[in-house]
Amino acid sequence: TNCEQEPIHIPGSIQPHGFLLGIHTDTFIITYCSGNTAAYINMSYDVLLGKSPADAFGKDVEDEIRNYISRYESTSPLKLTINGAQFHCTVHKTGDIHLVEAEPIQNSEEYSDVYDQTRQFLSYMEQSITLQQLCSLVAGHTRRITGYDRVMIYRFDEEYNGEVFAESRRDDLEPFLGLHYPHTDIPIQARKLYMKNLLRLIGDIGYEPVPLYTLGGGDNSSLDLSMSVLRSTSPIHVQYLANM
């Protein structure tokens, strides 16, 4: 019951493997900022709040953000260099705020490598005969591309009870393939978010949430983070993952 009533789309915090800026659509002033910016760009949130990106980072950075916003349909991340550090940024609009979420570029793997892997992946998919074969291939190749320890394909029935339909895992991990879960396992509001935002990443379940700050001591928990890639995770869900 607690889980079903939890407002998971407005946690007022993010995960720490990146930082967040909320830029007002009309004034183009930074009105929201995560509390960890100093760790990434040597500028604290209280310095950034109330400034435009041009005042904070230079006109070139603001121009890049504005140009990206003008073509929101782009599926490629925005690449920004701020104070000498490079970031991949995702950008989306929520209400009257443009959310810019930045993650440091930590490796040199080329997109072409991922493209080649994906192209091979698709060729294998075309050879599938049954849904079970297809899902097993999806799980296996997703794990190969991402490097994850375990990838599961989770299947819902008409009542939203779940089944682990396919799985690829490290050999030393306990298999979850074939296990069934009741519909209460994933609450209604969480299912709605999964359908709305197709990508959900949790970098480390042991993380410390980073608070969001806003101008004038306003309510940071009113910012809708439904489409955010850094959105902080429900403490109940964190405990669930730890139990697994």
Side-chain angles (χ1 to χ4, degrees):
T1 302
N2 288 344
C3 201
E4 286 192 355
Q5 295 174 352
E6 193 177 13
I8 59 176
H9 64 298
I10 49 171
S13 59
I14 63 168
Q15 298 176 59
H17 58 273
F19 67 90
L20 178 147
L21 302 173
I23 303 171
H24 198 279
T25 54
D26 296 329
T27 62
F28 225 71
I29 294 297
I30 299 171
T31 54
Y32 288 91
C33 188
S34 59
N36 62 343
T37 52
Y40 289 104
I41 55 175
N42 296 317
M43 299 179 74
S44 63
Y45 70 89
D46 53 339
V47 170
L48 294 172
L49 284 171
K51 289 185 176 178
S52 68
D55 290 338
F57 314 126
K59 186 176 182 300
D60 288 347
V61 171
E62 179 167 315
D63 287 345
E64 290 185 72
I65 296 173
R66 286 184 180 274
N67 289 337
Y68 189 88
I69 287 172
S70 70
R71 47 183 177 85
Y72 253 140
E73 71 280 359
S74 174
T75 55
S76 299
L78 168 64
K79 190 173 180 178
L80 290 178
T81 300
I82 301 175
N83 288 352
Q86 290 189 322
F87 300 92
H88 277 147
C89 304
T90 57
V91 185
H92 75 276
K93 186 172 181 287
T94 175
D96 56 3
I97 300 294
H98 296 297
L99 281 189
V100 179
E101 300 175 86
E103 298 181 52
I105 299 174
Q106 296 179 332
N107 61 60
S108 58
E109 182 178 15
E110 295 293 333
Y111 282 115
S112 59
D113 295 338
V114 177
Y115 173 77
D116 288 340
Q117 289 175 320
T118 306
R119 186 174 57 180
Q120 183 185 39
F121 176 17
L122 291 173
S123 72
Y124 287 136
M125 286 175 62
E126 290 173 353
Q127 301 168 18
S128 301
I129 297 173
T130 66
L131 181 61
Q132 183 74 59
Q133 285 180 328
L134 176 62
C135 289
S136 294
L137 283 169
V138 170
H141 282 273
T142 300
R143 189 161 80 91
R144 189 170 301 158
I145 290 171
T146 60
Y148 290 161
D149 296 327
R150 184 198 306 268
V151 172
M152 294 180 289
I153 304 292
Y154 198 79
R155 189 183 192 186
F156 293 101
D157 66 13
E158 295 82 357
E159 303 298 322
Y160 288 104
N161 301 300
E163 173 193 0
V164 181
F165 189 64
E167 178 183 53
S168 176
R169 61 181 172 83
R170 240 178 37 212
D171 291 341
D172 60 314
L173 294 180
E174 175 189 355
F176 293 158
L177 182 64
L179 294 184
H180 289 73
Y181 299 85
H183 67 91
T184 51
D185 199 56
I186 300 180
I188 293 173
Q189 87 276 25
R191 291 201 300 263
K192 287 181 178 178
L193 269 185
Y194 284 140
M195 294 166 129
K196 185 189 246 186
N197 187 351
L198 300 181
L199 187 64
R200 178 68 173 134
L201 300 175
I202 303 169
D204 175 9
I205 63 167
Y207 76 92
E208 288 289 329
V210 177
L212 299 179
Y213 296 93
T214 187
L215 283 173
D219 182 12
N220 66 356
S221 64
S222 64
L223 184 63
D224 189 341
L225 298 180
S226 295
M227 302 302 292
S228 165
V229 296
L230 294 174
R231 174 170 54 87
S232 196
T233 308
S234 155
I236 297 174
H237 186 51
V238 168
Q239 185 61 57
Y240 175 91
L241 294 174
N243 292 345
M244 290 181 72

